[in-house]
Amino acid sequence: MKKIVIAIDGPAASGKSTTARLVAERLGYLHIDTGAMYRAITWKVLEEKIPLDAVDRIQKLAEKTHIRLERSPRGNTVYLDDKDVSDAIRLPNVTKSVSHISSYQVVRDVMVREQRRMAKEGGVVLEGRDIGTVVLPNAELKIYMVADVAERARRRKKELEHAGVGVDEHALIEEIQERDRRDSTRTVSPLKKAHDAMELDTSKLTVDEQVEFIVRRAEELVKGTKTK
Ligand code: DC
């Protein structure tokens, strides 16, 4: 059976990770959370107390750091030089600085090289901001997920509370809007919908509906009953 590449892009907290994980599970594909890779390198920058504007040091760090993603029931378990940083990379200090680190071309070059390597054989679902536009412009199926900001903040709050972190919903709305602004206005690989991506507004959809929508299109593409 032919194995395709599925690219899921969209703004912060639009439901990409949960959806990508479940789509990958249904199809027997590998799920690659590229945001987790940018978060991991950001965590290391903070851990080593490297100033956020020390781009040369950050580049060296990105080149020598080994990031590994493993499948787990919650999504990707993220290993940084064999240390499990899956929970640490979701904390607010990393979230606050990640847009800064991911705006450096030199960091992106390292991450994109790795992402293309992982996608080489097909049978993958990659999620991020620039997968359909820059990383894998030839992906057979491209989805651009959106949801209104209040709904996104509500989902993120639930997720953080689950991890034992209490946050104010209004502060979350501001943080999400600020991150979207930075991610979509940066000069390198900004967040934007690829011209051939299908937009999926998840504001009023259940997770099952989102997953079903994507799985059905993937199956149609594999069977050759539908073109992009
Ligand atoms: O999906 P996320 O919220 O975990 O992503 C964290 C940050 O990483 C996000 O604010 C922008 C950046 N990112 C990126 O620049 N390119 C990607 N392909 C994925 C994430």
Side-chain angles (χ1 to χ4, degrees):
M1 182 81 89
K2 182 182 158 198
K3 292 203 160 193
I4 64 168
V5 171
I6 303 177
I8 303 182
D9 289 301
S14 54
K16 300 183 299 291
S17 289
T18 308
T19 307
R21 173 173 61 81
L22 294 171
V23 167
E25 231 171 73
R26 283 269 302 271
L27 297 170
Y29 283 17
L30 194 68
H31 164 215
I32 298 166
D33 175 355
T34 65
M37 298 170 72
Y38 290 98
R39 285 174 178 273
I41 197 68
T42 302
W43 177 85
K44 186 88 190 250
V45 168
L46 298 174
E47 182 78 359
E48 299 212 346
K49 299 194 168 43
I50 298 175
L52 295 186
D53 58 359
V55 62
D56 289 347
R57 289 180 64 192
I58 294 170
Q59 175 181 10
K60 285 203 186 83
L61 187 81
E63 276 165 359
K64 70 169 197 216
T65 300
H66 183 237
I67 298 169
R68 187 163 50 88
L69 302 177
E70 257 182 28
R71 194 188 309 236
S72 91
R74 286 194 302 146
N76 286 160
T77 300
V78 185
Y79 292 96
L80 192 145
D81 294 333
D82 292 329
K83 180 183 167 65
D84 182 350
V85 293
S86 313
D87 291 330
I89 62 169
R90 303 285 160 199
L91 295 177
N93 63 332
V94 172
T95 303
K96 229 172 102 203
S97 304
V98 65
S99 285
H100 204 96
I101 302 300
S102 61
S103 70
Y104 291 133
Q105 182 73 62
V106 287
V107 172
R108 305 198 70 84
D109 287 346
V110 177
M111 300 294 150
V112 170
R113 198 187 326 133
E114 190 56 18
Q115 289 156 16
R116 288 183 179 146
R117 191 190 60 74
M118 291 190 277
K120 217 168 57 201
E121 310 295 332
V124 283
V125 185
L126 281 93
E127 44 129 338
R129 303 291 189 288
D130 60 340
I131 310 301
T133 50
V134 175
V135 182
L136 299 161
N138 295 326
E140 284 92 344
L141 178 58
K142 298 183 187 179
I143 305 289
Y144 191 77
M145 283 181 71
V146 294
D148 65 55
V149 71
E151 176 60 20
R152 289 191 277 145
R154 202 185 57 74
R155 291 178 191 164
R156 188 49 54 96
K157 184 166 187 262
K158 228 168 110 186
E159 218 174 80
L160 285 166
E161 278 173 354
H162 197 71
V165 184
V167 278
D168 172 62
E169 206 158 311
H170 289 289
L172 261 183
I173 289 182
E174 276 174 25
E175 181 262 303
I176 288 174
Q177 282 173 326
E178 173 57 16
R179 210 142 60 88
D180 285 351
R181 189 191 61 73
R182 284 209 217 164
D183 293 344
S184 52
T185 57
R186 70 180 178 219
T187 43
V188 281
S189 310
L191 164 70
K192 70 167 189 247
K193 179 174 173 284
H195 69 91
D196 51 353
M198 305 177 82
E199 184 164 312
L200 182 60
D201 186 338
T202 68
S203 308
K204 296 193 172 65
L205 294 182
T206 63
V207 172
D208 280 352
E209 288 168 331
Q210 289 157 214
V211 172
E212 196 55 39
F213 177 90
I214 299 173
V215 167
R216 200 167 306 152
R217 261 136 208 91
E219 285 172 348
E220 286 167 355
L221 281 166
V222 169
K223 285 189 208 130
T225 53
K226 190 165 193 136
T227 52
K228 273 203 270 189

